[in-house]
Amino acid sequence: MINEVVFTSPEHYVDLEELCDYRGYDKGKLDALGIKHMSVLCEEDLISLAIKALRKVDLNDVNLIILASESNVDLSKPLSVKIVDKLGLNECITFETKFACRAGVDSVLMAYTYSKITGNKSIVVCLDEAIYEKGSAEITGGCGCAVIVIDPLEQGIELDLKTARSYVADIDDFYKPMSITPVVNGKLSIVSYLYCCKKAMESWKNIKNRNVTEYFDKLVFHVPFPRIVKWISTVLYAHEKKNITLHIEDIIKNPNLYNKWRDERKSVETSIDFIDWFNEKVEPSLRFHPYVGNSYTASVWLALISTLVNSKIDIGDKIGLCGYGSGAGAICVEMIVKDKIKTYRELPTKKLDVEKYIELRKERGLD
């Protein structure tokens, strides 16, 4: 079972209001997206960040370490080789997985299966830096590392592997060539996220024959920015609870219906019953992300930590976890709480001057 989840961010952050002032960006987008700070690598790198996270957990008897990342520019060697070598874990089985931000969830399912079959302890490391070219997407950057410990000899959170369901579609909303920055179609990426997450959860629903909004005690999603989680929550709630005329599938077929669909979604979002439901089952997962930003593969695990820390969780509670990866695909898995697990989170504490941040970017060939 999963018995420990750790999240560490870089020490430094940029105040996004100050960055918007410096760049001339619209500060109104910060409230619209639900973001305040962006964690950035300054005196650290991805490898040191991963090692910092791994040193928070018990590494004894670990037999498998999977790294989930889309930040490795070496197409040959996984970053995990560098990490296990520095920690002296050279006899561990290790490799790297890739499916944009959802690779961390895929890796946990893989490691969980391995541990159940072999009885050996395994670890998944989700390690990423989200960094963008100068422009409106820049404020949605961030960085972080999540470590998920799976020990078959310990109680904790159980995964229902039999009902885990996925939905994938060839959608070019996000493309990352051999570069530290991606090419992003922001509007398409939002629609793709909502569409794939809904389809994955509907696939789960078809197996369990239960409504997602009723069955799960808590829901946890990948968080590129907090506001989009409210949108996917609205999409699911409207589908199961409200009599609406348009659904996200209609927008995929006919993008001209987007404004009408958005208006219907907003009417659901402002309803009292939805607000009460959202505040109980989803909102607790979003309290740390405004101060970190998007950490790609690690993001959904910070959401899980936030849920466990900021809400009342009882033994037997069921948590629906949905990971999303651009390109595009979503995966839904049911988690059952069998016992309390250890959690640790380390958010950025040192404010970085915008001028220093710009200088760091220029050193990396940006701006």
Side-chain angles (χ1 to χ4, degrees):
M1 295 189 183
I2 295 176
N3 67 303
E4 192 165 3
V5 183
V6 164
F7 180 91
T8 59
S9 73
E11 293 183 344
H12 293 83
Y13 70 90
V14 172
D15 184 291
L16 290 175
E17 283 200 6
E18 294 182 3
L19 179 60
C20 286
D21 286 338
Y22 185 93
R23 294 288 208 192
Y25 299 153
D26 178 9
K27 286 196 288 189
K29 288 187 175 181
L30 302 181
D31 287 338
L33 299 176
I35 52 180
K36 298 178 182 294
H37 298 164
M38 177 175 65
S39 57
V40 294
L41 291 169
C42 178
E43 298 169 355
E44 305 163 279
D45 58 25
L46 286 173
I47 301 301
S48 63
L49 184 62
I51 290 172
K52 179 169 69 171
L54 282 161
R55 284 181 172 153
K56 302 295 182 184
V57 304
D58 181 5
L59 298 174
N60 290 321
D61 302 320
V62 174
N63 216 52
L64 171 70
I65 296 180
I66 304 176
L67 174 76
S69 178
E70 57 180 297
S71 301
N72 187 4
V73 296
D74 186 340
L75 293 180
S76 176
K77 182 166 65 177
L79 284 175
S80 58
V81 170
K82 295 180 179 293
I83 294 167
V84 300
D85 188 66
K86 287 183 180 294
L87 290 170
L89 300 173
N90 304 76
E91 294 185 4
C92 281
I93 302 168
T94 189
F95 55 90
E96 187 174 314
T97 61
K98 180 175 71 173
F99 194 157
C101 302
R102 81 167 243 181
V105 181
D106 294 332
S107 298
V108 166
L109 295 185
M110 196 182 309
Y112 191 90
T113 303
Y114 169 86
S115 289
K116 286 199 73 170
I117 292 172
T118 66
N120 292 320
K121 186 175 172 182
S122 59
I123 283 178
V124 173
V125 180
C126 301
L127 178 66
D128 270 308
E129 177 188 29
I131 184 169
Y132 297 92
E133 296 282 356
K134 181 180 176 181
S136 59
E138 183 184 2
I139 60 174
T140 63
C143 186
C145 179
V147 171
I148 301 94
V149 180
I150 300 161
D151 190 338
L153 302 180
E154 296 286 343
Q155 290 294 305
I157 293 178
E158 181 179 275
L159 305 185
D160 185 354
L161 298 176
K162 290 183 179 179
T163 61
R165 286 297 180 270
S166 170
Y167 184 84
V168 297
D170 187 9
I171 303 173
D172 293 327
D173 62 313
F174 182 104
Y175 168 65
K176 195 168 186 181
M178 287 299 297
S179 167
I180 62 172
T181 58
V183 178
V184 185
N185 182 330
K187 290 183 178 179
L188 179 59
S189 195
I190 289 171
V191 173
S192 175
Y193 174 101
L194 300 177
Y195 176 68
C196 290
C197 287
K198 182 189 177 187
K199 297 294 283 185
M201 289 202 145
E202 279 190 336
S203 183
W204 173 91
K205 179 179 175 178
N206 290 336
I207 296 295
K208 296 285 286 196
N209 197 29
R210 299 289 297 274
N211 276 353
V212 170
T213 53
E214 296 172 356
Y215 179 81
F216 289 114
D217 299 289
K218 304 293 177 185
L219 285 166
V220 172
F221 296 91
H222 166 55
V223 190
F225 53 87
R227 187 67 174 176
I228 199 172
V229 174
K230 195 162 195 178
W231 296 341
I232 182 57
S233 300
T234 308
V235 165
L236 292 171
Y237 194 87
H239 178 65
E240 294 186 348
K241 297 283 192 178
K242 298 288 189 178
N243 184 23
I244 60 173
T245 61
L246 290 175
H247 296 276
I248 190 65
E249 292 87 346
D250 299 312
I251 310 309
I252 296 293
K253 296 175 184 176
N254 185 358
N256 293 327
L257 295 172
Y258 180 85
N259 288 340
K260 183 179 179 181
W261 167 81
R262 181 188 58 195
D263 291 342
E264 283 197 336
R265 194 199 71 218
K266 285 183 176 179
S267 70
V268 173
E269 188 175 320
T270 55
S271 64
I272 298 299
D273 55 330
F274 169 79
I275 292 171
D276 289 343
W277 173 86
F278 178 81
N279 287 340
E280 170 64 24
K281 296 198 174 186
V282 186
E283 186 279 332
S285 70
L286 302 175
R287 297 186 189 175
F288 299 142
H289 292 82
Y291 306 97
V292 175
N294 189 1
S295 54
Y296 287 166
T297 54
S299 176
V300 71
W301 303 105
L302 179 60
L304 177 61
I305 291 173
S306 186
T307 294
L308 296 174
V309 169
N310 294 309
S311 57
K312 184 176 181 294
I313 302 292
D314 295 319
I315 304 302
D317 277 358
K318 295 173 282 292
I319 300 172
L321 184 139
C322 186
Y324 170 78
S326 290
I331 187 164
C332 173
V333 61
E334 178 182 342
M335 296 180 153
I336 305 99
V337 179
K338 297 293 187 177
D339 200 354
K340 290 184 178 180
I341 71 168
K342 297 177 184 177
T343 64
Y344 175 88
R345 81 273 185 191
E346 188 173 307
L347 308 185
T349 57
K350 297 179 181 179
K351 183 178 173 182
L352 189 66
D353 290 339
V354 174
E355 291 80 3
K356 176 62 176 176
Y357 163 74
I358 300 298
E359 181 183 321
L360 291 171
R361 283 175 61 90
K362 288 180 177 178
E363 289 174 0
R364 301 178 71 178
L366 299 167
D367 293 358

